[in-house]
Amino acid sequence: METNLINLIQHYSDESKCRKYLEALKWHEGIKCPRCGSAKISHIEKRNQYDCDECRYQFSVTAGTIFHDSHLPLWKWFLAVYLMTESKKGISANQLKRSLAISYKTAWYLCHRIRKAISETTDKPLLNGIVEVDETYVGGKYDRRRKRGPWEKQAVVGLLQRDGTFEAKTIKTPSKKVLTDVIHKRVDTNATVMTDELAAYKSVNHRAEEWVCGDVHTNGIESAWSFGKTHAHKTVFKRSIVGSYHKVSTKHLDAYLDEFEWKFNGRENPYLFRDTLIRLLNSPKLEFKDLTEKSA
Ligand SMILES: [Zn+2]
């Protein structure tokens, strides 16, 4: 079922409906004890818990997940996930606070928890085929102590596979070495890497071999960037990141980039809402202090 606000309200309007849905997502192959693996399970309906008939272990669908311990009802979580995945430009904690009638702190926490779950990517396949690389800058938070000081800028590199799979991450500086490292880490050695805007690339004066791994094909790099789909992707990326997140602290920028990546790569996935919930179910708990730590 494709998710929209109407069927979200119809199907997930209360706690037990949401819980049932999470159970269906988590135990779609049948419920099993997380401790001993037994399939002989009794339901303790009153407490939303399950009891293993073999080892007596008691568990629930949210145990050990980020849904657990939050005082927020599940249907508010569902709405938050919907609003975040639905909004192409991203939703601010302030907006979420108003929409869900929750405190700012809760809204902020919720945004970051969902983002964190989204960013916990496991084994992303290397990009292949023709991969375009582009760097941009995203403005950081205005530093009040500097008064009229400049916006702190953060360099970001984007990698776009021609079929539309996109990745972005912050980099220390868009130097040739840093960019080459990113490409070596994230791009298959058989791929053709294209770029024309990198200052670092310009410094090697179109010696494109520097940027191409495997089959050398360097014709038309300029036109590839300027025309067609790829150009639109780049524009969407820059507008979204630069437009919506220009006040984002650079500390959390990678999480925002991951959110953008998740939504961008899922832009034609009618089950993005469901897939995001699955991520949340599989994501370990995240404590408030982990989010607010300086190193985070
Ligand atoms: Zn058991």
Side-chain angles (χ1 to χ4, degrees):
M1 180 186 67
E2 202 164 331
T3 311
N4 58 41
L5 197 53
I6 304 297
N7 57 38
L8 193 78
I9 289 165
Q10 276 171 346
H11 295 280
Y12 312 116
S13 56
D14 68 46
E15 199 66 8
S16 76
K17 284 177 183 172
C18 293
R19 190 170 286 278
K20 281 213 174 70
Y21 186 59
L22 291 180
E23 289 177 355
L25 290 179
K26 188 162 186 164
W27 297 314
H28 55 97
E29 287 172 338
I31 182 166
K32 276 191 181 139
C33 171
R35 190 198 267 167
C36 75
S38 167
K40 288 182 189 161
I41 309 290
S42 308
H43 191 187
I44 315 165
E45 211 148 330
K46 266 190 184 168
R47 286 188 285 151
N48 293 314
Q49 281 208 321
Y50 291 86
D51 185 28
C52 173
D53 294 348
E54 295 286 342
C55 75
R56 309 316 311 180
Y57 185 64
Q58 293 192 351
F59 57 96
S60 75
V61 69
T62 53
T65 73
I66 61 178
F67 296 109
H68 196 67
D69 289 343
S70 84
H71 300 291
L72 208 65
L74 285 176
W75 62 268
K76 285 202 179 186
W77 272 100
F78 274 48
L79 273 172
V81 169
Y82 174 76
L83 291 170
M84 271 184 88
T85 51
E86 171 67 13
S87 153
K88 292 204 169 46
K89 284 187 168 182
I91 188 164
S92 70
N94 251 320
Q95 217 173 322
L96 207 59
K97 169 195 157 192
R98 288 191 299 270
S99 300
L100 298 182
I102 52 182
S103 72
Y104 178 78
K105 190 179 166 184
T106 302
W108 186 88
Y109 192 19
L110 204 52
C111 284
H112 281 276
R113 279 180 153 193
I114 294 170
R115 220 166 263 137
K116 180 88 179 162
I118 285 172
S119 67
E120 271 156 5
T121 39
T122 46
D123 305 328
K124 279 195 282 191
L126 294 177
L127 298 172
N128 213 331
I130 297 172
V131 180
E132 304 187 12
V133 179
D134 187 29
E135 121 240 331
T136 190
Y137 284 90
V138 176
K141 222 173 202 165
Y142 183 72
D143 188 348
R144 270 188 209 165
R145 284 164 303 178
R146 287 190 217 150
K147 292 190 178 158
R148 276 193 215 165
W151 291 70
E152 186 190 325
K153 293 281 185 186
Q154 173 66 51
V156 170
V157 61
L159 300 102
L160 175 72
Q161 188 174 297
R162 275 288 168 83
D163 73 354
T165 306
F166 182 79
E167 286 184 16
K169 60 180 285 180
T170 59
I171 47 173
K172 213 172 165 190
T173 163
S175 71
K176 197 174 100 184
K177 187 189 175 302
V178 168
L179 293 166
T180 309
D181 284 351
V182 170
I183 289 167
H184 281 161
K185 245 181 228 155
R186 291 302 311 140
V187 180
D188 192 281
T189 48
N190 291 314
T192 303
V193 176
M194 292 187 176
T195 174
D196 72 348
E197 290 200 353
L198 305 168
Y201 170 73
K202 279 176 188 148
S203 77
V204 297
N205 194 22
H206 284 221
R207 277 178 59 216
E209 295 81 26
E210 297 274 349
W211 289 96
V212 175
C213 310
D215 257 0
V216 178
H217 165 66
T218 56
N219 295 336
I221 292 171
E222 310 279 334
S223 60
W225 265 126
S226 313
F227 297 108
K229 243 166 96 178
T230 53
H231 184 65
H233 286 163
K234 192 171 81 173
T235 309
V236 169
F237 164 65
K238 282 196 170 168
R239 196 178 293 151
S240 176
I241 293 293
V242 180
S244 310
Y245 300 138
H246 61 280
K247 284 178 185 165
V248 164
S249 139
T250 51
K251 189 175 88 175
H252 293 296
L253 186 58
D254 267 315
Y256 284 89
L257 293 174
D258 288 337
E259 180 197 344
F260 177 82
E261 197 178 299
W262 173 248
K263 288 194 290 191
F264 186 83
N265 292 334
R267 66 200 178 281
E268 279 163 25
N269 174 9
Y271 305 109
L272 191 64
F273 170 76
R274 179 201 66 187
D275 292 349
T276 308
L277 282 180
I278 291 172
R279 287 235 169 168
L280 285 165
L281 268 176
N282 295 325
S283 170
K285 281 195 287 183
L286 179 69
E287 307 298 338
F288 193 71
K289 62 176 170 52
D290 294 332
L291 271 175
T292 47
E293 263 174 23
K294 277 196 176 134
S295 59

